[in-house]
């Protein structure tokens, strides 16, 4: 009897632990399944919300994209469609409610030129080119309009390789207006050599992207996922696929802000022609330096000519701000006015110099 009772107790004990194990397993299994299902639902919701957010952002930005054509450009004529003027190739982005527009110089023409601008509603205006820079291939236009929807300018210094970006413009022709292409930032601070009309030019500090950029996209914006303009699409290498470039928005941001606030921009000048290390490697391969800009030429009757600055000097800082490339110098000088003084830190024959310069127009 004692042996039978002991066996029964042991069986009851074993059954109890089996029951307890099964119960605990079911509870945890159910929690894991619910957690997994909840994670899937949350992931789908976040993805959907993200997609909807980007779609809304792109839709808002689309209304700020304009078509641009040079008045005297036979290849980009304005023509009538149902009584409404339409444009040929070229894009731009509205950057203020009172009619300032940012684009490429090769799209609009140089300063003091006039060009045609077509808004989203199909209305065409004559625009004045109020500022341009051939080195940057950028121009600012002005049309007589107020209350316009405009794009927000971002900070191109915060960009990272692999970041998602979108290019918007009017590729191929006006019938494909406001085309959106997506991609990533493939590289930063790129320098490219451009040969056209028997001339050689260099563009530096460019943003490289694999977002598709066709000829008509020139002058259109490169934007981040927040809908901020972080670059202006400018050129495309035709011998390679998936390689497009944009000028960083910080190179022109201060100028745009001055036009918006003051209605004018007085450009200050040091009076030098200089290269950063990326371009120097193309022109004078035996010159090596890490940061700063190499002074290639000093203009006659310029502020720099009146100082001890020399050709071959490397300017490493301006007013204590490090200079990594030419965009850094432009960005800072564009905050100044003619008559302001700046202090340059200069490297010459491995010696450090400090030079004070009074800026002129």
């Amino acid at each position: 009897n004692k042996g039978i009772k002991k066996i029964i107790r042991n069986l009851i004990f074993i059954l109890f632990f089996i029951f307890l194990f099964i119960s605990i397993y079911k509870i945890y299994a159910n929690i894991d399944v619910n957690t997994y299902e909840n994670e899937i639902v949350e992931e789908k919701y976040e993805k959907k919300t993200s997609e909807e957010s980007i779609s809304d952002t792109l839709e808002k930005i689309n209304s700020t994209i304009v078509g641009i054509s040079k008045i005297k450009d036979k290849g980009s004529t304005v023509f009538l469609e149902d009584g409404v003027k339409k444009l040929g190739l070229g894009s731009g982005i509205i950057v203020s409610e009172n009619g300032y527009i940012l684009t490429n110089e090769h799209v609009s023409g140089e300063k003091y030129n006039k060009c045609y601008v077509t808004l989203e509603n199909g209305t065409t205006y004559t625009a004045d080119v109020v500022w341009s820079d051939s080195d940057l291939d950028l121009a600012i236009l002005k049309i007589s309009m107020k209350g316009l929807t405009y794009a927000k300018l971002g900070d191109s210094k915060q960009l990272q390789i692999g970041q998602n970006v979108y290019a918007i413009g009017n590729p191929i022709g006006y019938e494909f207006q406001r085309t959106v292409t997506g991609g990533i930032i493939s590289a930063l601070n790129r320098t490219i050599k451009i040969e056209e009309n028997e001339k050689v030019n260099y563009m530096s500090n460019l943003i490289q992207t694999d977002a598709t950029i066709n000829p008509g996209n020139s002058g259109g914006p490169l934007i981040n996922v927040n809908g901020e303009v972080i670059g202006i699409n400018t050129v495309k290498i035709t011998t390679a696929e998936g390689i497009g470039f944009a000028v960083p928005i910080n190179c022109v941001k201060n100028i745009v802000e001055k036009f918006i606030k003051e209605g004018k921009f007085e450009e200050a000048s040091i009076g030098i022609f200089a290269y950063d290390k990326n371009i120097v490697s193309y022109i004078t391969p035996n010159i090596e330096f890490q940061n700063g800009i190499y002074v290639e030429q000093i203009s006659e009757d310029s502020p720099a000519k009146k100082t001890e600055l020399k050709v071959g000097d490397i300017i490493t800082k301006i007013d204590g701000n490090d200079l990594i490339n030419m965009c850094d110098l432009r960005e800072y000088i564009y905050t100044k006015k003619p008559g302001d003084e700046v202090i340059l830190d200069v490297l010459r024959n491995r010696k450090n110099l400090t030079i004070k310069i009074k800026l002129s127009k």
Side-chain angles (χ1 to χ4, degrees):
N1 291 337
K2 288 183 178 180
I4 294 172
K5 287 181 179 179
K6 186 176 181 180
I7 292 171
I8 292 173
R9 281 199 304 269
N10 289 338
L11 286 173
I12 293 172
F13 185 75
I14 292 170
L15 289 172
F16 172 76
F17 273 97
I18 291 173
F19 174 77
L20 183 62
F21 175 78
I22 292 172
S23 299
I24 293 172
Y25 175 77
K26 284 184 176 180
I27 292 171
Y28 274 97
N30 188 47
I31 290 173
D32 289 341
V33 170
N34 288 337
T35 301
Y36 178 68
E37 289 177 348
N38 288 337
E39 287 177 350
I40 291 176
V41 171
E42 287 176 3
E43 185 178 343
K44 286 182 178 179
Y45 175 76
E46 288 176 358
K47 185 176 181 182
K48 184 178 180 182
T49 302
S50 177
E51 288 175 351
E52 287 177 349
S53 176
I54 292 172
S55 295
D56 291 342
T57 298
L58 292 174
E59 187 175 347
K60 290 177 182 178
I61 288 292
N62 254 331
S63 63
T64 69
I65 304 299
V66 301
I68 298 176
S69 177
K70 296 178 187 176
I71 289 178
K72 295 181 180 180
D73 187 348
K74 296 180 181 179
S76 304
T77 57
V78 174
F79 59 94
L80 293 175
E81 182 178 308
D82 298 328
V84 179
K85 287 184 178 180
K86 300 291 184 180
L87 291 184
L89 300 181
S91 307
I93 179 84
I94 301 172
V95 292
S96 76
E97 65 86 25
N98 62 337
Y100 284 104
I101 295 165
L102 190 55
T103 187
N104 289 147
E105 185 189 73
H106 79 263
V107 171
S108 66
E110 298 176 351
K111 185 178 179 180
Y112 305 123
N113 279 6
K114 292 182 182 293
C115 60
Y116 288 121
V117 170
T118 295
L119 305 185
E120 183 189 31
N121 62 10
T123 307
T124 297
Y125 297 87
T126 300
D128 295 310
V129 181
V130 295
W131 176 89
S132 74
D133 187 312
S134 57
D135 291 332
L136 293 173
D137 189 26
L138 292 179
I140 298 174
L141 320 179
K142 180 70 170 67
I143 60 173
S144 299
M145 278 289 292
K146 290 186 178 181
L148 295 172
T149 301
Y150 61 95
K152 182 180 178 181
L153 304 185
D155 184 359
S156 53
K157 283 190 175 179
Q158 302 301 318
L159 298 180
Q160 295 181 334
I161 295 173
Q163 182 177 333
N164 290 328
V165 289
Y166 301 89
I168 310 178
N170 308 313
I172 304 175
Y174 192 81
E175 60 270 25
F176 295 102
Q177 59 182 304
R178 294 171 182 83
T179 294
V180 178
T181 58
I184 62 169
I185 293 177
S186 306
L188 298 169
N189 298 319
R190 288 299 200 201
T191 297
I192 59 172
K193 181 180 180 180
I194 303 172
E195 297 183 50
E196 57 181 2
N197 300 326
E198 298 182 354
K199 292 183 179 180
V200 176
N201 293 313
Y202 297 90
M203 292 189 70
S204 62
N205 318 131
L206 297 174
I207 302 166
Q208 181 183 329
T209 177
D210 65 351
T212 303
I213 298 176
N214 290 299
N217 283 100
S218 289
L222 189 69
I223 68 169
N224 59 22
V225 293
N226 298 319
E228 299 169 330
V229 180
I230 47 90
I232 299 297
N233 305 322
T234 181
V235 292
K236 180 178 181 290
I237 296 180
T238 56
T239 56
E241 292 297 326
I243 299 180
F245 296 95
V247 180
I249 196 63
N250 284 26
C251 287
V252 72
K253 191 174 179 179
N254 290 323
I255 302 176
V256 171
E257 291 174 349
K258 283 194 175 183
F259 269 113
I260 293 172
K261 292 178 182 178
E262 304 173 15
K264 62 179 181 178
F265 171 68
E266 285 188 307
E267 187 167 342
S269 173
I270 291 178
I272 62 172
F273 192 74
Y275 299 120
D276 56 37
K277 64 178 181 180
N278 294 322
I279 296 184
V280 165
S281 63
Y282 282 91
I283 301 170
T284 315
N286 60 332
I287 297 176
E288 294 184 1
F289 57 96
Q290 290 301 312
N291 297 320
I293 58 171
Y294 177 83
V295 179
E296 174 70 20
Q297 183 180 335
I298 299 176
S299 302
E300 294 294 332
D301 300 323
S302 69
K305 193 71 174 179
K306 300 173 185 177
T307 70
E308 55 182 306
L309 191 70
K310 296 181 179 180
V311 171
D313 285 347
I314 298 170
I315 304 173
T316 58
K317 293 184 179 182
I318 181 167
D319 287 344
N321 298 290
D322 291 330
L323 298 179
I324 307 300
N325 49 50
M326 280 299 296
C327 190
D328 292 332
L329 179 65
R330 287 192 181 98
E331 184 180 344
Y332 186 79
I333 291 295
Y334 290 157
T335 66
K336 298 297 181 179
K337 294 181 179 180
D340 290 346
E341 285 188 341
V342 296
I343 297 175
L344 305 180
D345 285 9
V346 175
L347 183 63
R348 180 189 300 164
N349 298 325
R350 297 182 180 179
K351 293 183 179 180
N352 295 311
L353 304 172
T354 299
I355 299 175
K356 184 183 290 186
I357 293 183
K358 187 176 183 180
L359 303 175
S360 67
K361 287 187 178 181

